[in-house]
Amino acid sequence: MAQSINKHIDLDPLEQFLMSDHAPPDCMEISDLDGFLTGIAVGPELILPSEWLPVVWGGDGPVFESTEEANAILSIILGRYNEILQTLQNDPAGLAPIFWETPDGVVIATDWGEGFLDAVRLRIDAWEPLMRHKRDGVLLMPILALCRDEEGHSLLPIDPTDEDAMLDAAPEIIPGCVAAIYQFWRERQDPSTARPKIGKTGRNEPCSCGSGKKFKRCCGAV
């Protein structure tokens, strides 16, 4: 079951289609699609749908029963993308990633993180400035903690205990990290939007990502 808060686009028809026999067997499902769209929206460069839509399908395109169905499904995908982008622009605190939730209420963000990383891979060189940034590079860590390489190994060179703690905190802190990543690239494109430069953030000070939480309870948890 997918879980999101403040979602205005009706994603149920899209979720049903992605899980149907009409969708390619290797296509994304709703949570990794949401992470992918978020990574596209928040990234350093504009990527057109003509490039990223084939990644959604994972190979061969879907089989639509009619032009109306094709238009409806594509409209929902693009609508969710625009919703994410508008939220980042106008109300970052309202960002609500779509994570899986088990029947007993456990939130699983792994698929979402993998989808986000698929978007990063489309422009891996362009993401380098954030990855190497001394202060803001930490914003990617909760997302990377959710992902594994082809051999199933962690992408982060950190202690397994620390990584487990990061995985537990990831669903809560990812929205703030994503909003801060968006702000990072926006500052590089338009210096007039830059945050004041600050030194090392104290653990009990407000987190610089703008979440309103203490640093130790947000990005400092990583």
Side-chain angles (χ1 to χ4, degrees):
M1 176 181 179
Q3 171 253 0
S4 178
I5 302 172
N6 297 330
K7 175 173 65 66
H8 300 108
I9 301 291
D10 181 8
L11 298 176
D12 288 343
L14 173 61
E15 184 172 10
Q16 293 170 10
F17 178 82
L18 294 176
M19 298 178 70
S20 74
D21 293 337
H22 294 285
D26 295 327
C27 75
M28 295 181 176
E29 293 189 13
I30 199 69
S31 185
D32 43 332
L33 172 60
D34 194 67
F36 181 69
L37 295 177
T38 303
I40 296 294
V42 79
E45 296 181 359
L46 174 65
I47 304 179
L48 297 177
S50 58
E51 180 178 352
W52 57 254
L53 269 173
V55 182
V56 172
W57 305 126
D60 294 335
V63 178
F64 294 113
E65 292 184 344
S66 64
T67 301
E68 289 75 14
E69 182 183 57
N71 290 337
I73 294 302
L74 294 176
S75 178
I76 296 173
I77 293 174
L78 293 174
R80 178 56 180 165
Y81 167 79
N82 287 324
E83 183 178 55
I84 293 167
L85 189 58
Q86 290 170 11
T87 302
L88 288 166
Q89 292 171 343
N90 303 317
D91 181 26
L95 189 68
I98 299 173
F99 301 138
W100 293 114
E101 184 177 354
T102 65
D104 55 355
V106 177
V107 177
I108 302 172
T110 304
D111 286 354
W112 188 96
E114 292 283 0
F116 190 99
L117 186 57
D118 284 338
V120 173
R121 290 190 178 108
L122 290 180
R123 292 292 186 275
I124 190 69
D125 291 341
W127 279 85
E128 280 288 328
L130 176 59
M131 295 176 181
R132 298 182 179 278
H133 198 277
K134 291 183 179 180
R135 182 191 68 186
D136 292 333
V138 69
L139 298 171
L140 283 169
M141 292 183 69
I143 300 172
L144 295 178
L146 297 167
C147 307
R148 293 292 183 267
D149 64 18
E150 294 181 356
E151 285 75 38
H153 301 142
S154 172
L155 299 179
L156 298 176
I158 61 175
D159 183 90
T161 301
D162 294 335
E163 185 170 24
D164 288 342
M166 192 184 305
L167 286 170
D168 289 340
E172 181 180 356
I173 65 178
I174 277 177
C177 289
V178 169
I181 291 170
Y182 174 77
Q183 179 68 12
F184 175 86
W185 295 120
R186 187 181 179 196
E187 290 171 9
R188 295 178 73 87
Q189 295 163 358
D190 182 1
S192 68
T193 66
R195 293 168 289 175
K197 291 187 177 181
I198 57 175
K200 184 177 180 180
T201 305
R203 288 182 58 75
N204 290 310
E205 294 178 9
C207 187
S208 60
C209 77
S211 66
K213 300 177 183 179
K214 291 183 178 180
F215 178 70
K216 67 181 180 182
R217 300 293 185 190
C218 192
C219 295
V222 303

